[in-house]
């Protein structure tokens, strides 16, 4: 299991250090893990002038999976667009053809008070949004702003080929088969032909997965159901634009940005794993960052790229146990609760493992 480790900027190195400690434990217990380190984002710009240097691309291409911290920081905000740290992220996603974005939104019962929704609605929430990442209206041509009949018009093209729909559908059915075997496909087939095709192709693909219960939902209803009764969902699959919106809505239901991992996969389940949060420059180098989203990203990596379900659950159970013991970093501590630093949270996870 060759893993490229790209810590990035801000809190990136601190949270990655704790995730690496978890990987080292698994390695000591017999998993054939090999780690290689590279630069991405602002630190790569400082060293090479590029946010995603060729050397890093070589490392990431040769690895089976990539573990990424976060990129960006105020010191890079004035750079030309091409050199911005965030360009490094876009470049690695595109160059590795990572078309499937998996974002779980889970809320441990112990943290349910962090949500803006009522305890009963969200406690124990565990859903997964599978978002197509390289197609749809974000990439379709033609696009632009023209002048027609004397006034400006703006236009974009919502476009999916059946091959693009089929491959993301397979990822979603497979994700559902590793969970509660329920998949809800979200579209807007009552208005948009493109998403009628989406629904037809997802239904065709479902024939390969008779054990998965497939349902369909219109996107406006899905947005409403996510705040009304989010626990009705197991896996949701949807296109790039709807997924952009729904995955942010779902992750914010949990109210704990420092807890949520993500995966972006290619056709062979090679993946880039990262926390959903950014580089948090406001708390960098202060031993304040919550490393759990990054540690849970390692669990996703073991599940989705390496098929090591036992090791994935070992990590997830360790995190659950730590939370049950009342151990909290500052971002997830309730008023009056004591909190621990980044490194001590890593210690706690390791001892639970
Ligand atoms: P952010 O996610 O970095 O931080 C938002 C807030 O959440 C901050 O108050 C921060 O302290 C807190 N926070 C985030 N992660 C935390 C953690 N693990 N533990 C405790 N608290 C945490 O978003 P932002 O402030 O909008 O952006 C900061 C920088 O990160 C910007 O340069 C932005 O471009 C970049 N960014 C990078 C990524 C990425 O690398 N994937 C994603 C989003 C933003």
């Amino acid at each position: 299991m060759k893993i490229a480790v790209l810590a990035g900027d801000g809190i990136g190195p601190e949270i990655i250090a704790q995730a690496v400690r978890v990987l080292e434990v698994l390695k000591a217990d017999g998993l054939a893990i090999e780690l290689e380190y590279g630069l991405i984002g602002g630190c790569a710009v400082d060293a090479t002038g590029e946010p995603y240097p060729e050397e890093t691309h070589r490392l990431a291409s040769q690895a089976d999976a990539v573990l990424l911290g976060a990129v960006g920081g105020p010191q890079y905000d004035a750079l030309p667009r091409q050199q911005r740290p965030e360009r490094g992220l876009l470049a690695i996603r595109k160059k590795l053809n990572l078309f499937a974005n998996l974002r779980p939104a889970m809320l441990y019962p112990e943290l349910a008070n962090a949500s803006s929704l009522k305890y009963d609605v969200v406690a124990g929430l565990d859903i997964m949004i599978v978002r197509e990442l390289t197609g749809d209206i974000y990439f379709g041509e033609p696009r632009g702003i023209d002048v027609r009949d004397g006034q400006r018009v703006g236009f974009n093209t919502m476009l999916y080929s059946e091959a693009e729909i089929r491959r993301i559908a397979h990822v979603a059915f497979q994700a559902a088969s590793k969970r509660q075997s329920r998949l809800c496909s979200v579209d807007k087939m009552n208005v948009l032909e493109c998403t009628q095709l989406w629904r037809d192709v997802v239904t065709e693909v479902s024939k390969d997965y008779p054990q998965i219960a497939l349902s369909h939902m219109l996107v406006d209803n899905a947005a409403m159901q996510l705040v009304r009764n989010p626990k009705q969902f197991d896996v949701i699959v949807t296109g790039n634009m709807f997924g952009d919106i729904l995955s942010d809505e779902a992750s914010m239901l949990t109210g704990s940005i420092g807890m949520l991992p993500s995966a972006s996969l290619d056709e062979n389940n090679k993946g880039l794993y990262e926390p959903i949060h950014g580089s948090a420059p406001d708390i960098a180098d202060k031993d304040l960052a919550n490393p759990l989203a990054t540690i849970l990203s390692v669990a996703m990596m073991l599940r989705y790229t390496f098929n090591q379900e036992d090791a994935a659950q070992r990590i997830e159970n360790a995190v659950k146990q730590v939370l049950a013991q009342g151990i909290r970093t500052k971002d997830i501590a309730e008023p009056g609760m004591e909190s621990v630093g980044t490194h001590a949270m890593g210690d706690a996870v390791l001892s639970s493992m």
Side-chain angles (χ1 to χ4, degrees):
M1 305 175 192
K2 230 182 184 182
I3 303 169
V5 180
L6 312 177
D9 310 316
I11 60 171
E14 297 168 73
I15 53 179
I16 285 287
Q18 302 312 315
V20 165
R21 292 174 76 200
V22 167
L23 284 165
E24 296 289 357
V25 168
L26 298 173
K27 186 175 173 179
D29 289 349
L31 288 189
I33 289 169
E34 221 180 282
L35 304 177
E36 285 192 80
Y37 295 82
L39 298 174
I40 193 164
C43 60
V45 174
D46 290 340
T48 70
E50 305 273 339
Y52 185 54
E54 197 43 50
E55 172 66 18
T56 304
H57 180 55
R58 195 189 51 76
L59 192 79
S61 308
Q62 288 170 2
D64 303 305
V66 179
L67 179 65
L68 193 140
V71 301
Q75 67 273 45
Y76 304 109
D77 285 351
L79 286 175
R81 206 155 275 283
Q82 275 312 101
Q83 278 189 323
R84 296 264 181 87
E86 293 77 5
R87 279 288 158 132
L89 263 188
L90 297 181
I92 190 170
R93 287 176 183 153
K94 193 164 178 11
K95 285 195 177 175
L96 297 183
N97 195 22
L98 304 170
F99 68 92
N101 186 219
L102 273 60
R103 272 183 48 176
M106 43 190 167
L107 186 54
Y108 300 93
E110 293 85 358
L111 302 181
N113 288 328
S115 173
S116 52
L117 297 191
K118 288 194 195 107
Y119 181 90
D120 288 342
V121 176
V122 288
L125 177 74
D126 181 2
I127 61 183
M128 165 82 78
I129 300 204
V130 178
R131 168 189 172 195
E132 202 287 331
L133 209 53
T134 54
D136 203 352
I137 195 164
Y138 291 0
F139 292 91
E141 299 281 348
R143 60 194 298 159
I145 299 174
D146 271 357
V147 176
R148 293 181 194 166
D149 298 329
Q151 66 166 337
R152 287 175 300 163
V153 294
F155 54 96
N156 290 86
T157 303
M158 181 178 248
L159 189 148
Y160 267 123
S161 70
E162 55 180 319
E164 285 175 310
I165 302 169
R166 199 164 282 124
R167 69 179 185 175
I168 191 74
H170 279 291
V171 170
F173 279 106
Q174 282 160 23
S177 72
K178 293 178 179 179
R179 295 171 48 96
Q180 296 166 33
S181 299
R182 290 183 292 119
L183 177 63
C184 178
S185 172
V186 171
D187 59 45
K188 188 74 182 169
M189 57 76 85
N190 54 342
V191 181
L192 299 168
E193 288 80 357
C194 178
T195 73
Q196 174 67 58
L197 180 71
W198 177 280
R199 187 175 288 210
D200 294 347
V201 174
V202 171
T203 304
E204 285 161 28
V205 173
S206 72
K207 310 268 186 300
D208 292 349
Y209 301 90
Q211 76 283 16
I212 307 291
L214 172 68
S215 59
H216 301 275
M217 195 178 276
L218 297 176
V219 64
D220 40 352
N221 188 24
M224 187 172 74
Q225 294 300 330
L226 269 175
V227 286
R228 195 186 70 89
N229 177 19
K231 287 193 268 184
Q232 70 185 282
F233 297 108
D234 177 22
V235 179
I236 291 175
V237 63
T238 189
N240 202 348
M241 180 167 62
F242 299 158
D244 190 359
I245 300 163
L246 294 181
S247 64
D248 265 21
E249 183 188 5
S251 62
M252 287 306 120
L253 290 179
T254 72
S256 15
I257 193 172
M259 295 295 303
L260 297 177
S262 76
S264 305
L265 304 177
D266 77 358
E267 289 192 21
N268 304 310
N269 282 346
K270 175 175 178 160
L272 170 78
Y273 297 85
E274 56 180 331
I276 69 158
H277 60 72
S279 59
D282 52 329
I283 57 165
D285 300 321
K286 294 184 179 152
D287 196 39
L288 281 176
N290 183 348
L292 294 179
T294 317
I295 289 172
L296 291 167
S297 299
V298 172
M300 285 191 88
M301 176 190 290
L302 290 160
R303 175 170 295 124
Y304 290 103
T305 290
F306 297 124
N307 268 314
Q308 298 282 342
E309 182 60 29
D310 287 352
Q313 284 188 16
R314 187 175 169 202
I315 297 172
E316 289 166 352
N317 288 335
V319 170
K320 275 185 201 148
Q321 200 177 326
V322 163
L323 295 174
Q325 288 164 353
I327 301 170
R328 305 277 189 275
T329 43
K330 200 169 167 209
D331 57 307
I332 51 173
E334 285 179 44
M337 239 179 176
E338 263 187 46
S339 59
V340 300
T342 311
H343 197 270
M345 182 56 104
D347 289 344
V349 172
L350 256 53
S351 68
S352 284
M353 283 177 74

